[in-house]
Amino acid sequence: VIISVPPLTEERRKDLTKQVKNQAEHAKVSIRNIRKDTNESLKKLQKEGAAEDLVKKAEYQVQKLTDSYVAQVDSICAKKETEIMTV
């Protein structure tokens, strides 16, 4: 079976790029929600008696991981956009 797929038009490429951006934003929101849930858990631990400096250190590490993953999402999104827009 042979299926002929016509080349992408400029308009379709732009639509695909918009979809990529939307998916990237959705991924970043998910990452931030995970950070929020983790920080809430850390606050509960602090109320239960965990040391404040340990909680602050853990929050810093969570933020560092969040920034790392958001940067990865951004770079993947940029690569995909250039790949889509390349004729």
Side-chain angles (χ1 to χ4, degrees):
V1 176
I2 298 175
I3 300 174
S4 62
V5 178
L8 294 173
T9 63
E10 186 69 24
E11 183 179 327
R12 181 67 181 140
R13 289 177 193 272
K14 288 181 181 179
D15 289 341
L16 289 173
T17 302
K18 286 180 186 177
Q19 287 180 359
V20 167
K21 287 180 183 178
N22 286 337
Q23 290 297 320
E25 187 59 36
H26 178 70
K28 289 192 270 187
V29 167
S30 296
I31 291 168
R32 288 192 291 265
N33 285 337
I34 292 169
R35 177 191 61 196
K36 184 183 93 175
D37 294 342
T38 304
N39 284 340
E40 287 175 1
S41 297
L42 289 171
K43 294 290 183 188
K44 286 181 185 176
L45 283 175
Q46 185 176 1
K47 287 181 181 178
E48 292 175 1
E52 185 177 344
D53 60 335
L54 292 177
V55 171
K56 292 292 182 188
K57 186 183 284 187
E59 286 176 351
Y60 175 75
Q61 289 175 344
V62 168
Q63 183 61 44
K64 205 163 116 177
L65 281 172
T66 301
D67 294 341
S68 166
Y69 283 110
V70 167
Q72 284 181 3
V73 168
D74 287 337
S75 70
I76 291 169
C77 179
K79 280 183 193 177
K80 188 51 79 173
E81 285 178 19
T82 57
E83 183 181 318
I84 289 171
M85 294 306 288
T86 304
V87 177

